Amino acid sequence: MTTSTGTDWAAWQESWDRQQEWYMPDREERFRIMLDMVEALVGTAPRVLDLACGTGSITVRLLRRFPDATSTGVDLDPALLAIAHGTFADDDRVSLVNADLKDPDWPAKLPYDSYDAVLTATALHWLHSEPLAALYGQVAGLVRDGGVFMNADHMIDDTTPRINAAERAQRHARMDQAKRDGALDWADWWQLAAQDPVLAEPTARRFEIYGEHADGDVPSAAWHARTLLAQGFGEARPVWCSPSDTLLLAVK
């Protein structure tokens, strides 16, 4: 959709997807499995919290597959939220909330007290383990009984250093080749955003908030499952994985 500002939000969504796929060629597969599990456990008209939603990548796919779903997207990134606002401006199924997940009071900003599903992807590695465990406790309070939480992210098992090193070397060699073939990486994409007349100012604010890169942790899938159980979920395990990433599902 192109707005009165002249900004083509669909093109920015597409550009973000391509940049993310440079890091994760199997990104669509993890989204598909995530939505499969939503359907299996909470049905086809869920109330969803898109946690650290960014541009709304999960919500776009959620509503495409489940037109009767509703979504609350929450994030702090002003540039990615600007793209989300542009994308969903005319969709009353979507509400967007500007909030810092490190702020203990962030759930008070949400329009609902409970959700059928809380979904997040490649975002929570920005947090260290201690605040992430606290966030999981807050998420457990937002998921209804029988509801689900899913986190798809980079999760590293430190007990397999040789496997990790080989996987990382191969993945980075493929990424380097894709870059030579013209793929945009994270830095390239943000340079484009900084040059856009609508996104330049929120992009500058975004880097004031976050800096250049995440400084969080990437604990193992076992740590995530153990922590979710300790924070109030009844079951938790991986439902999909690649050599580097895991989709962890927890049921309240």
Side-chain angles (χ1 to χ4, degrees):
M1 183 182 72
T2 303
T3 65
S4 58
T5 63
T7 304
D8 186 340
W9 297 115
W12 277 109
Q13 286 283 359
E14 177 75 12
S15 174
W16 177 258
D17 284 344
R18 299 293 81 78
Q19 178 260 124
Q20 289 286 286
E21 285 169 358
W22 181 66
Y23 298 92
M24 300 166 288
D26 47 26
R27 185 167 176 257
E28 291 302 329
E29 183 181 1
R30 73 188 68 191
F31 285 144
R32 179 180 64 80
I33 298 298
M34 178 182 280
L35 296 180
D36 281 350
M37 293 297 96
V38 167
E39 182 173 2
L41 285 154
V42 298
T44 59
R47 177 190 291 169
V48 170
L49 176 60
D50 187 349
L51 193 68
C53 65
T55 66
S57 297
I58 290 174
T59 294
V60 166
R61 289 155 180 82
L62 172 80
L63 298 178
R64 185 185 301 150
R65 178 159 168 179
F66 306 128
D68 294 329
T70 58
S71 181
T72 303
V74 59
D75 208 299
L76 186 63
D77 187 314
L80 299 186
L81 276 177
I83 296 172
H85 276 288
T87 300
F88 303 111
D90 299 319
D91 196 331
D92 60 9
R93 297 170 296 177
V94 180
S95 53
L96 296 168
V97 175
N98 185 324
D100 185 349
L101 297 180
K102 294 179 182 177
D103 178 351
D105 296 325
W106 71 267
K109 295 186 174 184
L110 300 177
Y112 303 106
D113 293 331
S114 70
Y115 289 85
D116 301 308
V118 178
L119 309 176
T120 188
T122 52
L124 299 189
H125 60 264
W126 285 78
L127 297 176
H128 289 291
S129 296
E130 189 172 324
L132 180 55
L135 178 65
Y136 278 174
Q138 293 177 303
V139 168
L142 290 166
V143 175
R144 66 161 172 85
D145 288 347
V148 300
F149 168 69
M150 278 180 268
N151 179 15
D153 211 343
H154 198 41
M155 300 182 189
I156 296 177
D157 187 339
D158 289 332
T159 67
T160 58
R162 289 181 295 168
I163 296 172
N164 298 351
E167 181 281 323
R168 186 178 187 278
Q170 183 184 56
R171 177 162 42 91
H172 280 264
R174 287 176 174 171
M175 289 165 65
D176 289 345
Q177 182 59 53
K179 186 84 189 302
R180 288 192 291 272
D181 291 340
L184 287 180
D185 67 8
W186 176 263
D188 293 335
W189 191 90
W190 282 109
Q191 283 185 347
L192 285 179
Q195 295 163 11
D196 182 87
V198 174
L199 292 177
E201 190 273 333
T203 295
R205 284 192 285 123
R206 180 242 181 252
F207 281 96
E208 290 174 6
I209 294 168
Y210 289 108
E212 290 291 335
H213 295 290
D215 63 351
D217 299 326
V218 283
S220 68
W223 179 93
H224 286 271
R226 191 167 60 245
T227 302
L228 286 161
L229 292 173
Q231 295 288 8
F233 284 91
E235 299 177 14
R237 71 165 175 87
V239 290
W240 173 91
C241 68
S242 72
S244 61
D245 288 28
T246 296
L247 172 59
L248 203 293
L249 165 62
V251 181
K252 184 79 175 287

